[in-house]
Amino acid sequence: MLVMMKANASAGEIREVCRKIEEMGFKAHPIPGSMRTAIGITGNRGPVEPTALEALPGVAECVPVSKPYKLVARELKEDTTVVDLGDGVCVGGPEIAVIAGPCAVESRSQAFTIARAVSAAGARLFRGGAYKPRTSPYSFQGLGEEGLNILAEVRAEFGLKIVTEAVDQETLELVEQYSDVIQIGARNMQNFSLLKQAGRSRRPVLLKRGISATLDELLMAAEYIVAEGNYNVILCERGVRTFADHTRNTLDLSVVPAAQRLSHLPILVDPSHGTGRREKVLPLSRAAVAVGADGLILEVHHKPDEALSDGNQSILPSQLEILMKDIRQIAAVLGRKVAGE
Ligand code: PEP
Ligand code: MN
């Protein structure tokens, strides 16, 4: 259930409703909106009896939630969540966020070469895995903490925000210390203990859709994180597995407006994993921005043929530059902007 406060409800009245909810044995999640505050309730097994809450000063109405997810639902919060990473870098606002970098951090010089190009192209966020969830145990697994140190150096040198993946509880503790955004990968979308741990973190979380996850399952996974108190979750469409074999995965761009209708969380698109082919990254990036995505996450490598992972889908720095120019024009049509103009 949601408690919708009146537009003019005072901070004291909101606090009192939260206190009452906690007294009933539940958890209260006050979410301020542009018009009014809504308070989500979790921890209840069945329906919550609204009478006691409806009678409190400042309460407009109690609304039953029609979806299995509560806190990520647009019913709770009309405005899209803006995840503020500091220094003017936001995800979910009018500006399209571009996260670019290699699939994996391979060395200091590799990361620096790519970061220099990413920064020059105007992107403000850098990606790169220090821990890689690979299909084969014999493939490159990432540099581990050494990779995280390199990412910290990239941030210091170029001022880029760092997005990097945690693959389990142990690595999440480290990733949390070094990163600006914790990535939870497709393979871990339903690793519920990891999601809960990410929910207890202060760092924003980029949650990638599982390879066969429905939109409801993605939103329920996000709910796990938010229910623990971390409201800064960014969804990411990265392609799902279908019968199609002309691409690595099928990039489901229709999930973008569908997610935006149901949830207030921002959503990015990953056309690199979504297609698996370098030459398809540019057209699908244009399409992702056109469909209304809040940003892109892109794999970039200066020597993709020598990349230790995902070279086939990594674009060259020169292609990133073209991509940025193209999406700037598309964003303008939609009244949005791309950083670095
Ligand atoms: C990645 O971003 O490099 C990655 C492993 O992504 P996904 O979890 O979407 O496969
Ligand atoms: Mn990759």
Side-chain angles (χ1 to χ4, degrees):
M1 194 176 72
L2 298 178
V3 182
M4 305 304 297
M5 300 301 293
K6 291 181 182 159
N8 60 359
S10 69
E13 287 170 341
I14 294 167
R15 255 197 321 274
E16 183 52 25
V17 174
C18 293
R19 198 197 56 75
K20 183 77 190 165
I21 292 168
E22 306 276 339
E23 191 187 280
M24 292 160 90
F26 311 133
K27 193 166 173 188
H29 302 262
I31 316 271
S34 57
M35 301 298 287
R36 56 189 186 169
T37 293
I39 305 172
I41 302 175
T42 59
N44 51 309
R45 295 269 168 261
V48 176
E49 174 48 56
T51 331
L53 296 171
E54 268 167 353
L56 293 174
V59 173
E61 55 177 343
C62 292
V63 192
V65 186
S66 56
K67 299 285 189 308
Y69 38 86
K70 312 177 188 191
L71 303 174
V72 306
R74 222 182 254 278
E75 277 172 292
L76 175 70
K77 185 168 167 274
E78 219 175 290
D79 325 299
T80 299
T81 289
V82 179
V83 177
D84 188 347
L85 299 169
D87 303 319
V89 182
C90 291
V91 182
E95 194 166 293
I96 307 277
V98 179
I99 308 171
C103 177
V105 177
E106 299 168 8
S107 68
R108 190 174 183 278
S109 78
Q110 174 249 21
F112 268 62
T113 304
I114 299 169
R116 192 166 293 116
V118 163
S119 170
R124 312 220 33 207
L125 299 106
F126 187 73
R127 62 149 293 149
Y131 302 96
K132 296 307 303 176
R134 303 304 299 280
T135 305
S136 164
Y138 309 120
S139 300
F140 177 59
Q141 304 283 313
L143 293 181
E145 197 166 357
E146 186 193 338
L148 294 178
N149 270 308
I150 294 171
L151 289 170
E153 284 186 58
V154 164
R155 175 176 36 220
E157 177 75 21
F158 300 99
L160 294 163
K161 302 288 173 192
I162 302 297
V163 182
T164 193
E165 179 166 357
V167 291
D168 53 28
Q169 310 211 352
E170 193 185 325
T171 56
L172 194 137
E173 278 173 27
L174 283 167
V175 162
E176 199 177 14
Q177 290 169 37
Y178 287 90
S179 67
D180 296 290
V181 178
I182 303 168
Q183 177 174 326
I184 303 282
R187 291 158 190 82
N188 271 316
M189 191 205 82
Q190 287 188 315
N191 182 339
F192 299 118
S193 55
L194 190 63
L195 297 176
K196 283 192 203 167
Q197 194 188 347
R200 291 190 291 271
S201 170
R202 289 165 291 106
R203 291 260 176 261
V205 177
L206 175 68
L207 177 65
K208 299 188 89 176
R209 181 183 181 186
I211 60 167
S212 62
T214 63
L215 173 55
D216 266 13
E217 286 164 343
L218 173 63
L219 296 178
M220 290 308 285
E223 184 83 12
Y224 262 93
I225 302 170
V226 178
E228 292 293 324
N230 188 346
Y231 298 95
N232 289 316
V233 177
I234 304 159
L235 305 172
C236 180
E237 160 60 23
R238 48 78 72 208
V240 289
R241 187 163 288 179
T242 68
F243 55 83
D245 57 5
H246 58 283
T247 49
R248 179 181 179 184
N249 293 294
T250 296
L251 190 64
D252 176 15
L253 290 181
S254 69
V255 83
V256 173
Q260 287 169 333
R261 201 168 80 86
L262 296 177
S263 174
H264 56 80
L265 296 177
I267 181 164
L268 305 187
V269 169
D270 174 349
S272 307
H273 293 86
T275 65
R277 311 278 168 89
R278 185 174 315 136
E279 77 282 1
K280 295 188 174 63
V281 171
L282 175 61
L284 270 303
S285 296
R286 295 189 195 119
V289 173
V291 86
D294 296 298
L296 299 169
I297 176 165
L298 303 162
E299 288 188 341
V300 180
H301 205 291
H302 61 302
K303 288 184 182 163
D305 298 338
E306 292 171 27
L308 297 181
S309 65
D310 286 347
N312 289 342
Q313 65 194 36
S314 299
I315 56 170
L316 290 156
S318 56
Q319 294 173 310
L320 176 65
E321 235 175 86
I322 295 168
L323 187 155
M324 294 292 283
K325 288 200 176 93
D326 282 6
I327 64 168
R328 278 192 189 111
Q329 296 192 49
I330 297 167
V333 173
L334 300 168
R336 299 187 82 165
K337 283 184 61 176
V338 178
E341 278 172 280

